[in-house]
């Protein structure tokens, strides 16, 4: 077994280390969600925490880690008699992103359950993590139904497995830790609320601290055991302090004054529900125990608010988590300080400032807190420090300069090369609830909430022979398959003789998430401020809908002489919203180039994720005034590009942005070439009286046949 990186050797990340230690003191706090960029020691700190937890006493031979003094009466391996047990280290169990439901909660042997009437249960990761740590890296990429199961078990302290009338329950109390990079997508607000604490981590911009990160990293890689030995004293001190804080926790008094401070803080920040109040109370109590006190003080309440409230203040997916500390201080200043009881002075806090000032190390000094699984770079995530040399000086502004994020090869002077001056970005109008857009047919993509698909969850539509391990039994089909063979199998009693070949897997239909690729016209014909604001508001509304339906999104824009992939397909709709907000307008309209760019993006994405079906949303008024680098007639290029997408079987919808009393109908002609419907900005609203766009029907027969779709 490899030597883990010492927890106390982690450089910086004070809030992260404190949140983890508070959960080690009081698992009832509810776990930690760690948000931050890659390469910031998230995984390393979590893995290092397991070495600080005290050993656990378990019943010998019990697969569910029952405590000898109080074994679980419902343990599937029980009943156990109280008595002496054996000690083992607390486990840290990692849940892979691609894990199945059976791997998480465990699986029943359905064949033995039906034929023999026994509960042959194979424990899952929840059983392995009981009385230890369950760590989920990239928790935002985990399927929603797995997150629901995970958080339900964490809240109830037990896991329930139900399979066709056979039920198994076992204890599952663990410290839940999840890490995520917000750039790869956000968790739903209701799931964020289920994590007790949230910590934002970022790489240090202090050169001295970054140097220390590199030193520790190199020293650890050169001699892991020797490096760990140099920090063993600090590790032992923190481990002993965790044990002492756990013992002190039941004696901590949460007075009425502290409770009023907690309630006033949650009410002042308009936090939904009561979970925040409960989590803050538990966190403040754990903070007092960690400090060696039996009374909760105002400083404990303040720190608890900073850890428990930021992620609960999100009102929509595009809100960044955060807390106004000035407002927090104003709320708490309304209450007098709690008078502490006579207690010994607390020891220095290794949880909030664990790293000592080590002596210079001949081997290069202590090492980087980041392990090899944390992105491959140093603690700072590979971001170089901000320099202050001459190359960083700001040059004088020049008129009509291309935006900083312009693609390579884009025109440098839109006024001269793109057919018109670039206009500043305008703010999006208020988003609204959109009508349902879905891809036709039956897919097999990732679970979501948009289009029909064969999924592991949903309504049962039929049965088939299982491919691999049986997970969802179709009882009626199994009995029907076994019934004709009962006499030949020598059945004499009332029981049904079941063989493996009789088992049938239930096929289920649910919803999948799609790849929604937006192709947005940013040319001069769209540049009227009021008009572009409405267009951005519509796209923002569709992005919000994509977030709620668990889609991946991408953004292609076209203006001037070329099209640009402004955002590669990603699960982060926040990133798409940010790119949309900064989108400038102006210049000619290379509509055909935009469609060709979209086709290329979809081709590459089809190779990466062939099961995820695309939905193309083209936002334009239909004008085409430039052929870009392709050359030729712009309108002919547009029609040809649209027909190529239709021949590829891409489901499409055109959002017609044309306004005014005189309409040319160009967006409708584009929709006909794409084989999909056209819907106006007003018709996109769910409360509009315009025609309801529900399905984008695709039926491709031959390459020469146009794709047909129906707007219902």
């Amino acid at each position: 077994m490899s030597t883990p990186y010492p927890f106390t050797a982690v450089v910086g990340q004070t809030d992260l280390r404190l949140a983890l230690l508070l959960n080690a003191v009081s698992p009832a706090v509810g776990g930690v969600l760690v948000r931050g960029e890659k390469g910031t020691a998230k995984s390393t700190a979590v893995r290092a925490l397991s070495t600080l937890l005290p050993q656990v006493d378990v019943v010998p031979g019990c697969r569910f880690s029952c405590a000898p003094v109080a074994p679980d009466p419902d343990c599937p391996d029980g009943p156990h008699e109280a008595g002496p047990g054996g000690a083992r280290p607390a486990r840290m169990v990692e849940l892979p992103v691609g894990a199945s439901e059976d791997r998480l909660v465990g699986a029943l042997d359905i064949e033995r359950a039906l034929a023999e009437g026994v509960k042959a249960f194979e424990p899952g990761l929840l059983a392995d993590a009981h009385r230890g740590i369950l760590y989920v890296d990239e928790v935002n990429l985990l399927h929603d139904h797995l997150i629901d199961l995970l958080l339900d078990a964490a809240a109830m302290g037990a896991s329930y497995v139900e399979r066709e009338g056979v039920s198994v329950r076992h204890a599952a109390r663990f410290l839940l830790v999840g890490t995520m990079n917000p750039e790869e997508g956000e968790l739903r607000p209701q799931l964020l609320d289920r994590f007790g604490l949230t910590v934002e981590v970022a790489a240090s911009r202090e050169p001295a601290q970054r140097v220390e990160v590199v030193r520790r990293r190199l020293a650890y890689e050169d001699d892991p055991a020797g490096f760990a030995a140099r920090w063993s004293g600090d590790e032992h001190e923190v481990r002993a302090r965790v044990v002492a804080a756990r013992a002190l926790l039941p004696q901590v008094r949460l007075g009425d004054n502290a409770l009023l401070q907690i309630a006033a803080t949650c009410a002042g920040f308009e936090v939904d529900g009561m979970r925040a109040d409960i989590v803050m109370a538990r966190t403040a109590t754990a903070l007092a125990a960690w400090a060696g006190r039996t009374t909760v003080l105002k400083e404990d309440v303040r720190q608890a608010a900073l850890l428990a409230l930021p992620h609960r203040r999100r009102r929509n997916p595009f809100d960044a988590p955060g807390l106004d500390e000035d407002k927090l201080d104003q709320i708490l200043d309304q209450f007098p300080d709690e008078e502490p009881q006579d207690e010994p002075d607390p020891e220095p806090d290794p949880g909030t400032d664990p790293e000592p000032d080590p002596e210079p190390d001949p081997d290069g000094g202590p090492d980087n807190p980041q392990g090899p699984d944390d992105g491959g770079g140093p603690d700072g995530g590979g971001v170089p420090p901000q320099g202050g040399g001459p190359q960083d000086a700001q040059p004088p502004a020049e008129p009509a300069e291309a935006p900083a994020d312009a693609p390579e090869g884009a025109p440098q002077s839109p006024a001269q090369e793109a057919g018109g001056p670039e206009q500043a970005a305008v703010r999006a109008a208020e988003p609204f609830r959109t009508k349902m857009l879905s891809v036709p047919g039956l897919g097999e993509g990732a679970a979501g909430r948009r289009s029909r698909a064969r999924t592991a969850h949903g309504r049962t539509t039929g049965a088939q022979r299982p491919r691999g391990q049986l997970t969802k039994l179709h009882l009626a089909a199994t009995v029907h398959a076994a019934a004709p063979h009962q006499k030949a199998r020598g059945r004499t009693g009332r029981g049904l003789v079941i063989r493996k070949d009789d088992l049938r897997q239930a096929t289920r239909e649910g919803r999948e998430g799609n790849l929604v690729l937006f192709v947005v016209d940013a040319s001069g014909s769209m540049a009227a401020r009021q008009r572009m604001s409405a267009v951005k508001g519509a796209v923002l509304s569709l992005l919000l809908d994509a977030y709620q339906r668990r889609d991946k999104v991408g953004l292609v824009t076209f203006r001037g002489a070329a099209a640009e992939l402004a955002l590669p397909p990603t699960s982060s709709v926040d990133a798409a919203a940010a790119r949309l907000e900064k989108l400038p307008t102006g210049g000619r309209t290379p509509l055909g180039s935009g469609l060709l760019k979209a086709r290329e993006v979809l081709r590459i994405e089809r190779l990466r994720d062939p099961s995820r079906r695309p939905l193309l949303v083209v936002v334009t008024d239909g004008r085409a005034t430039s052929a870009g680098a392709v050359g030729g007639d712009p309108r002919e290029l547009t029609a040809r590009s649209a027909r190529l997408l239709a021949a590829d079987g891409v489901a499409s919808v055109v959002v017609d942005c044309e306004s005014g009393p005189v309409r040319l109908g160009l967006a409708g002609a584009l929709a006909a070439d794409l084989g999909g419907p056209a819907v106006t900005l007003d018709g996109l609203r769910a409360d509009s009286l315009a025609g309801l766009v529900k399905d984008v029907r695709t039926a491709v027969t031959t390459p020469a046949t146009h794709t047909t779709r129906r707007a219902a």
Side-chain angles (χ1 to χ4, degrees):
M1 181 178 178
S2 61
T3 303
Y5 190 89
F7 184 85
T8 52
V10 174
V11 177
Q13 310 299 10
T14 303
D15 288 343
L16 169 59
R17 289 182 281 117
L18 179 60
L20 292 173
L21 288 170
L22 291 177
N23 274 271
V25 171
S26 175
V29 167
V32 185
L33 177 64
V34 187
R35 299 163 43 93
E37 59 196 25
K38 54 185 177 295
T40 49
K42 300 188 299 292
S43 300
T44 299
V46 175
R47 294 188 177 103
L49 178 67
S50 61
T51 63
L52 300 180
L53 298 181
Q55 289 191 328
V56 294
D57 293 328
V58 297
V59 174
C62 178
R63 298 174 297 168
F64 301 88
S65 302
C66 284
V69 295
D72 182 4
D74 297 323
C75 176
D77 284 355
H80 304 299
E81 294 184 2
R88 64 161 176 80
R91 293 174 181 157
M92 195 198 76
V93 178
E94 294 195 39
L95 174 63
V97 170
S100 65
E101 179 181 340
D102 286 342
R103 184 70 186 99
L104 177 63
V105 301
L108 289 172
D109 189 331
I110 301 297
E111 184 178 5
R112 291 189 62 192
L114 289 177
E116 303 174 28
V118 298
K119 297 180 181 179
F121 181 69
E122 185 66 27
L125 295 177
L126 291 179
D128 293 341
H130 179 46
R131 304 175 70 194
I133 300 174
L134 182 60
Y135 171 48
V136 188
D137 194 12
E138 307 294 351
V139 65
N140 51 324
L141 303 182
L142 200 65
H143 286 175
D144 284 352
H145 73 281
L146 292 182
I147 296 178
D148 291 334
L149 289 171
L150 185 64
L151 296 176
D152 285 343
M156 296 185 296
S159 174
Y160 295 85
V161 183
E162 303 285 347
R163 291 288 190 277
E164 318 305 331
V166 181
S167 176
V168 173
R169 174 212 171 273
H170 65 83
R173 291 182 294 274
F174 46 82
L175 195 166
L176 176 63
V177 183
T179 58
M180 59 175 283
N181 185 346
E183 295 177 356
E184 297 173 343
E186 283 284 359
L187 282 172
R188 304 199 312 267
Q190 57 268 44
L191 296 180
L192 278 173
D193 184 56
R194 299 291 291 274
F195 281 92
L197 310 179
T198 295
V199 178
E200 295 280 340
V201 296
S204 172
R205 297 299 184 259
E206 292 294 331
Q209 195 172 67
R210 297 173 74 95
V211 166
E212 186 63 20
V213 166
V214 176
R215 282 180 179 161
R216 298 188 187 188
R217 168 69 174 180
L218 296 178
Y220 174 73
E221 288 186 344
D222 290 343
D223 183 10
F227 179 78
R230 291 196 292 274
W231 290 88
S232 60
D234 299 282
E235 293 284 287
H236 177 74
E237 180 183 347
V238 175
R239 190 180 301 111
R241 190 170 174 187
V242 169
V243 174
R246 282 187 172 187
L248 183 62
L249 187 65
Q251 305 173 36
V252 176
R253 184 177 67 89
L254 184 65
D256 291 342
N257 192 51
L259 283 172
L260 283 172
Q261 293 171 6
I262 291 170
T265 301
C266 293
F269 283 103
E270 301 179 353
V271 177
D272 294 335
M274 295 298 299
R275 184 175 283 119
D277 303 64
I278 297 171
V279 171
M280 274 190 64
R282 290 171 174 166
T283 305
T285 304
L287 280 162
W290 178 248
R293 289 185 271 101
T294 58
T295 302
V296 174
L297 303 181
K298 184 187 296 185
E299 63 194 63
D300 300 322
V301 175
R302 186 182 192 279
Q303 184 63 58
L306 293 175
L307 293 173
L309 295 188
H311 62 296
R312 293 185 165 89
R313 297 205 63 242
R314 296 188 64 172
R315 286 294 180 262
N316 66 65
F318 307 127
D319 290 340
L323 201 68
D324 186 344
E325 295 193 35
D326 291 337
K327 181 178 179 180
L328 174 62
D329 290 333
Q330 291 175 6
I331 295 174
L332 294 179
D333 286 344
Q334 301 173 17
F335 300 89
D337 291 325
E338 185 83 20
E339 289 295 333
Q341 299 175 353
D342 293 335
E343 296 171 350
D345 293 335
E347 299 176 2
D349 189 347
T352 56
D353 188 14
E355 61 271 7
D357 295 326
E359 294 294 327
D361 193 315
D363 296 328
D367 184 23
N368 182 1
Q370 176 177 323
D373 296 329
D374 234 6
D379 182 82
V383 181
Q386 300 298 321
Q391 68 274 17
D392 295 316
Q394 294 294 330
E398 297 181 4
E401 181 174 313
D405 58 349
E408 184 177 352
Q412 296 299 310
S413 177
Q416 298 177 4
E417 300 183 36
E422 177 181 304
Q423 299 186 19
V426 298
R427 294 185 61 85
E430 192 70 22
F432 52 84
R433 189 168 64 90
T434 65
K435 290 176 179 174
M436 175 69 167
L437 301 175
S438 63
V439 179
L442 197 62
E444 296 182 348
R449 299 182 177 182
R450 185 172 296 279
S451 304
R452 294 174 54 225
R454 298 183 184 91
T455 60
H457 300 269
R459 63 185 182 91
T460 301
T461 58
Q464 63 181 12
R465 292 182 180 273
R467 303 172 185 174
Q469 184 180 8
L470 179 69
T471 56
K472 300 291 183 181
L473 178 73
H474 195 296
L475 185 59
T478 299
V479 173
H480 187 270
H485 308 291
Q486 296 304 296
K487 185 175 182 181
R489 294 174 182 173
R491 172 186 169 186
T492 57
R494 299 181 61 183
L496 195 65
V497 181
I498 301 289
R499 300 283 172 82
K500 188 172 183 178
D501 290 343
D502 301 328
L503 299 178
R504 294 294 182 269
Q505 175 87 18
T507 57
R508 302 195 175 193
E509 181 179 313
R511 294 280 173 175
E512 67 176 358
N514 298 111
L515 166 60
V516 182
L517 182 62
F518 295 93
V519 182
V520 180
D521 187 346
S523 64
S525 63
M526 304 282 289
R529 295 188 66 85
Q530 185 176 2
R531 184 179 182 189
M532 196 62 198
S533 177
V535 169
K536 285 188 175 184
V539 178
L540 194 64
S541 303
L542 291 168
L543 283 172
L544 180 60
D545 182 70
Y547 169 85
Q548 295 168 340
R549 301 190 187 281
R550 316 306 291 166
D551 295 316
K552 291 179 69 174
V553 296
L555 179 63
V556 172
T557 64
F558 57 92
R559 57 178 294 274
E564 173 192 2
L565 178 59
L567 181 72
T570 175
S571 297
S572 176
V573 296
D574 297 47
R579 300 292 175 88
L580 179 71
E581 190 69 23
K582 299 176 182 178
L583 180 66
T585 58
R588 295 185 180 275
T589 312
L591 178 54
S593 298
L595 296 177
L596 289 177
K597 172 64 74 173
R599 185 172 184 248
E600 178 65 14
V601 171
L602 294 178
R603 182 188 68 81
I604 295 174
E605 192 64 20
R606 194 177 297 118
L607 298 175
R608 293 175 177 168
D609 191 357
S611 63
R612 190 180 289 268
R613 297 186 296 162
L615 174 62
L616 185 68
V617 179
V618 185
V619 185
T620 181
D621 57 7
R623 291 183 174 88
T625 60
S626 172
V630 180
D633 181 76
R635 289 170 294 183
E636 178 56 33
L637 175 63
T638 298
R640 187 167 67 249
S641 302
R643 288 193 290 267
L644 287 173
L645 284 164
D648 291 341
V650 177
S652 306
V653 60
V654 177
V655 179
D656 186 359
C657 303
E658 190 175 24
S659 60
V662 179
R663 293 178 175 267
L664 302 178
L666 298 177
L670 173 63
D673 287 327
L674 286 168
V679 56
T680 64
L681 288 175
D682 181 65
L684 194 62
R685 294 177 177 270
D687 54 357
S688 170
L689 297 178
L692 176 63
V693 180
K694 291 188 68 176
D695 288 330
V696 185
R697 300 290 185 186
T698 305
V700 180
T701 55
T702 65
T705 305
H706 282 233
T707 305
T708 60
R709 297 174 179 85
R710 184 185 69 183

